[in-house]
């Protein structure tokens, strides 16, 4: 991989953190056949929950001695930093989690604590990024047309400190071409369910998807998150919708999915928690939840309902959030049902997300059932 004189200097910098970050980027670049480093507009750092990284990760972060050169957003942590007690988080976890966040703040990262950094600052088409959160990577590549590989927490930090990333994979236009054409039949589909099924069917591919009806950006967000979780998808195209869908030839390999034949049961256990907001809810989704909930005549939800969003969207949706809280819903920021240990004390969690459906049993040891937003809210107001 070609390095400029300035990059060579960084590689032998007296600052151990800078030298190590360069070493990481060069090693990754060489493994994947990158020709050079390219400047990035932003980074997004995952692996932030103390529950995931433990003391080893915490000590590594506290040992960093350099500042980021580009905006570096931070993924959700293990708790709402203001309402952690309400989530049932103990004082020891709180103090370790706060040390993680302080260490990230010290290197100049932005404590956005969200997996939807595109609601804070939407990248532009063609921007090179080094993002780590799989659902955000899928959204940035597919819906925005920005370019990022699926980074790890460590490579995202290295890229943020150097301000560059190796040019390989999805940074290169020809590697963004679809490899399979998927025609979806029947307009009556749930985007999360479709993403979950597509993730299984086209794992490792870049699909060009033909959909029989218009979809919202929130649906694309849900579909991509599920595909990323189930099939490691980092980029998909939707014919006539996503910005690069017309840039390539239709692949010869084809698949047809009849959405009407997908049978996704919402039975299996009685939910003691209903958790929405994976990925973090947009203000439109919060409004949709409120509108559905308003149709129920009961004053309060009969089940525990947790909604997760970013602090920015929370700030922008103040009125709706107050009304939702009066209905008995709890709206948390900075965290989510998957990365917070607080979810583990429940037995059965109902979600509207294909990603949460994939990870909750593995990471939190809970049973999980699926429903649309409407079904989840309906269940919140029922006794079963
Ligand atoms: Fe975001 Fe947590 Fe889901 S980080 S995508 S809400 S698992």
């Amino acid at each position: 991989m070609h390095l400029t004189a300035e990059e060579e200097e960084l590689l032998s910098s007296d600052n151990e953190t800078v030298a190590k970050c360069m070493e990481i980027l060069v090693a990754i670049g060489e493994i994947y056949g990158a020709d050079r480093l390219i400047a990035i507009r932003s980074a997004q750092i995952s692996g932030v929950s103390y529950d995931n990284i433990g003391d080893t990760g915490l000590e590594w972060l506290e040992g960093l001695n350099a500042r980021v050169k580009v905006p570096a957003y931070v993924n959700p942590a293990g708790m709402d930093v203001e309402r952690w007690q309400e989530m049932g988080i103990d004082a020891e976890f709180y103090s370790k989690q706060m040390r993680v966040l302080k260490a990230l703040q010290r290197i100049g990262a932005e404590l956005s604590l969200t997996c939807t950094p595109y609601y804070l600052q939407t990248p532009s088409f063609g921007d090179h990024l080094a993002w780590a959160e799989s659902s955000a990577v899928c959204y940035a590549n597919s819906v925005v047309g920005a370019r990022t590989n699926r980074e790890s927490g460590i490579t995202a930090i290295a890229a943020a400190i150097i301000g560059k990333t190796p040019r390989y994979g999805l940074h290169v236009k020809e590697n963004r071409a679809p490899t399979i054409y998927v025609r979806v039949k029947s307009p009556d589909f749930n985007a999360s369910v479709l993403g979950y099924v597509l993730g299984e069917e086209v794992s490792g591919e870049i699909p060009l998807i033909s959909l029989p009806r218009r979809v919202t950006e929130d649906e694309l967000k849900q579909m991509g998150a599920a595909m990323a979780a189930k099939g490691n998808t980092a980029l998909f195209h939707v014919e006539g919708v996503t910005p690069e869908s017309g840039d390539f030839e239709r692949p010869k390999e084809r698949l047809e999915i009849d959405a009407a034949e997908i049978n996704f049961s919402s039975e299996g256990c009685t939910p003691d928690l209903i958790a929405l907001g994976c990925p973090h809810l947009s203000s439109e989704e919060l409004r949709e939840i409120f509108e559905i909930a308003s149709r129920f005549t009961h004053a309060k939800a009969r089940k525990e309902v947790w909604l997760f969003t970013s602090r920015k969207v929370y700030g922008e949706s103040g009125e709706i959030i107050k009304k939702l809280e009066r209905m008995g819903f709890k709206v948390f920021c900075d965290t989510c049902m998957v990365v917070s240990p607080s979810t583990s004390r429940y037995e059965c969690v109902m979600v509207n997300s294909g990603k949460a459906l994939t990870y909750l049993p593995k990471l939190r040891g809970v049973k999980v059932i699926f429903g649309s937003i409407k079904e989840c809210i309906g269940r919140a107001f029922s006794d079963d």
Side-chain angles (χ1 to χ4, degrees), residues 346-382:
Y346 293 93
E347 276 190 15
C348 173
V349 183
M350 185 172 193
V351 297
N352 72 325
S353 154
K355 176 165 180 178
L357 188 71
T358 309
Y359 286 124
L360 271 172
K362 288 184 210 162
L363 296 179
R364 301 270 67 97
V366 295
K367 289 187 195 138
V368 59
I369 58 169
F370 181 87
S372 63
I373 289 188
K374 202 169 156 205
E375 287 163 338
C376 288
I377 302 301
R379 208 69 186 261
F381 285 95
S382 82

Side-chain angles (χ1 to χ4, degrees), residues 75-76 114-116 133-136 225 277-280 308 335-339 353 355-356 359:
N75 221 27
T114 181
C115 49
T116 54
E133 156 56 37
S134 67
S135 67
C278 171
H280 275 172
F308 296 94
T335 186
C336 79
M337 69 289 265
V338 172
V339 299
S353 154
K355 176 165 180 178
Y359 286 124

Side-chain angles (χ1 to χ4, degrees), residues 87-122:
M87 296 186 80
I89 295 289
D90 63 44
E92 193 192 339
F93 185 92
Y94 170 79
S95 100
K96 293 277 176 95
Q97 182 65 76
M98 290 312 281
R99 274 175 60 192
V100 171
L101 300 186
K102 274 198 192 104
L104 287 164
Q105 199 167 34
R106 206 170 48 80
I107 65 166
E110 198 177 307
L111 296 189
S112 47
L113 305 183
T114 181
C115 49
T116 54
Y118 41 87
Y119 293 153
L120 311 180
Q121 173 79 59
T122 311

Side-chain angles (χ1 to χ4, degrees), residues 112 114 118-121 309-317 333:
S112 47
T114 181
Y118 41 87
Y119 293 153
L120 311 180
Q121 173 79 59
T309 189
S310 64
R311 217 154 263 292
K312 174 160 186 275
V313 169
Y314 186 96
E316 290 166 356
S317 308
C333 301

Side-chain angles (χ1 to χ4, degrees), residues 47 53 56-64 100 103-104 106-107 157:
I53 63 170
T56 314
L58 170 59
E59 279 157 27
W60 185 80
L61 287 173
E62 286 182 331
L64 293 172
V100 171
L104 287 164
R106 206 170 48 80
I107 65 166
I157 288 176

